[in-house]
Amino acid sequence: MDFKSFDWRSLQKYMKPQASEDLNRFLENLPQTAGQNALIAAGIAWAAAGALGLYATIQTQKMITLRAELKQVEALKPMVPKVTDVPVPAADVKSFAENLAQIYRGLKIQASGSSIQVSSTDTSRFAEFREAIGHMQNGGTGWRVTVDRMCVGRECDKDKLIALLKVNKVSVDKPK
């Protein structure tokens, strides 16, 4: 329906001074024309609708409060970066192991991937063995050296001194 085609003069009968008296007379005569049972049913429906509206308003207010508290708690949660170990490239480890073998000639030093194995068949090389492991701890920039396996003494199978050390770099990812 278009506003231009609407007959606005048809609304004039509701704007007359007599219209409010007609509405009042209609409401006064409603119990006789509609009956009491219909009015009771309408009253119950209106009361139920009012109670439902009040309940919805209270629940909405609780939800708003709960959401504000949740946002406040999330704001207090610290942003923690994720720390992971990333293996050092095998070429870097191999090059370092070759240099280490030149320095500590009494030990057998082998690189395998991002791991280095330091070993000796004689326990009298323990001081050199310990120094080689300490040298590895300070080997490369950002290196994190961890002991994967170590055996010292007569309980060892073939070599009396053996240490398998894994070389990683620490990677810090931005928090999400």
Side-chain angles (χ1 to χ4, degrees), residues 1-2 26 29 32 48 64 67 73 78 103 110 122 124 126 133 138-139 154 159-160 172:
M1 175 151 90
D2 192 11
F26 171 76
N29 293 333
Q32 289 88 21
I64 290 170
R67 182 170 180 189
V73 168
I103 297 169
Q110 297 172 327
D122 189 10
S124 65
F126 182 74
I133 292 173
N138 300 316
R154 61 180 152 222
D159 295 325
K160 299 302 176 197
V172 180

Side-chain angles (χ1 to χ4, degrees), residues 96-97 100-101 104 106-112 115-121 125-137 145 149-152 159-166:
F96 181 75
L100 207 61
Y104 302 101
L107 301 173
K108 186 167 67 171
I109 299 172
Q110 297 172 327
S112 174
S115 298
I116 296 179
Q117 181 174 322
V118 180
S119 60
S120 175
T121 57
R125 301 256 183 214
F126 182 74
E128 192 175 7
F129 176 76
R130 187 186 67 225
E131 287 298 317
I133 292 173
H135 191 139
M136 280 188 59
Q137 292 290 335
V145 180
R149 188 173 51 119
M150 180 180 267
C151 185
V152 176
D159 295 325
K160 299 302 176 197
L161 300 172
I162 187 167
L164 181 62
L165 306 159
K166 291 196 177 202

Side-chain angles (χ1 to χ4, degrees), residues 9 16 19 51 65-66 68 87 94 101 103 117 129 140 147 154:
R9 282 177 267 165
K16 293 181 182 176
T65 304
L66 188 62
K94 185 176 181 182
I103 297 169
Q117 181 174 322
F129 176 76
V147 177
R154 61 180 152 222

